[in-house]
Amino acid sequence: MMKLEDIRREYTKGGLRREMLADSPITQFENWLQQAVDAKFADPTAMVVATVDEHGQPSQRIVLLKHLDEHGFVFFTNTGSRKAQEIKSNNKVCLHFPWHEIERQVIVYGEAKALSTAAVAKYFLSRPQESQLAAWASQQSRPVSSRKALMETFHAMKAKFAKGQIPLPDFWGGYCVEPTKIEFWQGGEHRLHDRFMYIKQDDGSWQVDRLNP
């Protein structure tokens, strides 16, 4: 058995100071996301979405950020999925962007609000055809007997929608996570990391606090 306690490294890629931060956390996030894209990460928009069920049990999964503006962070999913059902009963969620290669992470706390059908349809129709078919084929989060059964359903959907535009499934939707707090974390030497928390105020402005590592 490997000695896990011996796996460690120093974080030396740079610090983060208050004067380096944008006034808006959305602007600050866009700046960091662009740097992650420029660094050619495999999945710079990948984020962990954490939700909580009716028993207080948290669950997490990785999805892709598909839109960002002053209102918040947008992702899409099957509305019958576990995350969608948990959001239905408790729309407070947490997003986590782990950019290990540049020793950064961003944590977003907020509320998930359902997108309009028009917004969902616009994105759905922009997806590759195979992704559209996969949305029809998958009863997300529910048991399936085998990979073979899943592929048979996929091919059945492909035959069904062979002609014309693939319609938007009535069980497919999207959410905008409207942030109330956003933390920016930059690794530091000796585990003295730099952490700044933006907290939304009643007037819409953002208070910025430095946090202990």
Side-chain angles (χ1 to χ4, degrees):
M1 181 67 178
M2 69 182 73
K3 296 183 67 176
L4 299 181
E5 63 270 24
D6 290 338
I7 300 176
R8 61 170 59 88
R9 66 184 176 93
E10 278 290 349
Y11 297 90
T12 60
K13 292 188 180 296
L16 185 63
R17 303 293 181 265
R18 176 65 183 87
E19 59 270 18
M20 300 165 64
L21 297 171
D23 292 334
S24 164
I26 300 300
T27 301
Q28 182 63 38
F29 181 86
E30 288 176 331
N31 292 341
W32 273 22
L33 177 59
Q34 185 61 59
Q35 291 173 30
V37 171
D38 292 343
K40 301 187 184 305
F41 294 170
D43 292 296
T45 60
M47 61 183 185
V48 177
V49 180
T51 56
V52 178
D53 69 13
E54 69 273 18
H55 304 295
Q57 173 63 57
S59 62
Q60 302 177 58
R61 73 289 293 160
I62 295 175
V63 304
L64 298 180
L65 176 69
K66 286 302 179 182
H67 181 71
L68 173 68
D69 59 27
E70 68 276 8
H71 299 296
F73 300 74
V74 171
F75 68 93
F76 297 88
T77 186
N78 185 310
T79 56
S81 66
R82 184 176 68 248
K83 58 183 169 294
Q85 292 303 302
E86 291 179 353
I87 287 172
K88 187 176 181 180
S89 61
N90 180 358
N91 74 335
K92 287 182 170 56
V93 303
C94 186
L95 310 177
H96 179 223
F97 295 84
W99 293 321
H100 303 297
E101 295 92 335
I102 51 178
E103 299 175 356
R104 288 175 176 171
Q105 55 183 320
V106 179
I107 305 172
V108 179
Y109 303 84
E111 296 184 353
K113 305 292 181 64
L115 297 177
S116 68
T117 301
V120 173
K122 180 180 179 181
Y123 172 71
F124 183 81
L125 294 174
S126 75
R127 304 179 85 199
Q129 187 180 63
E130 290 76 11
S131 296
Q132 294 179 22
L133 292 169
W136 275 99
S138 174
Q139 297 183 33
Q140 197 173 107
S141 300
R142 299 179 186 178
V144 62
S145 61
S146 65
R147 175 77 184 183
K148 180 181 178 182
L150 178 63
M151 293 309 299
E152 286 175 349
T153 304
F154 176 82
H155 290 301
M157 292 298 105
K158 190 172 184 178
K160 179 178 179 179
F161 299 120
K163 296 180 180 179
Q165 190 176 74
I166 300 172
L168 173 69
D170 59 6
F171 51 81
W172 208 77
Y175 298 93
C176 177
V177 178
E178 299 178 357
T180 56
K181 298 189 297 184
I182 304 181
E183 178 182 338
F184 292 85
W185 183 102
Q186 176 75 62
E189 290 185 291
H190 317 306
R191 299 299 187 267
L192 296 175
H193 312 303
D194 290 308
R195 299 173 59 192
F196 287 92
M197 180 74 82
Y198 287 76
I199 304 172
K200 195 167 189 177
Q201 306 299 295
D202 292 340
D203 63 359
S205 64
W206 293 90
Q207 174 184 316
V208 183
D209 294 327
R210 174 184 273 275
L211 305 180
N212 272 286

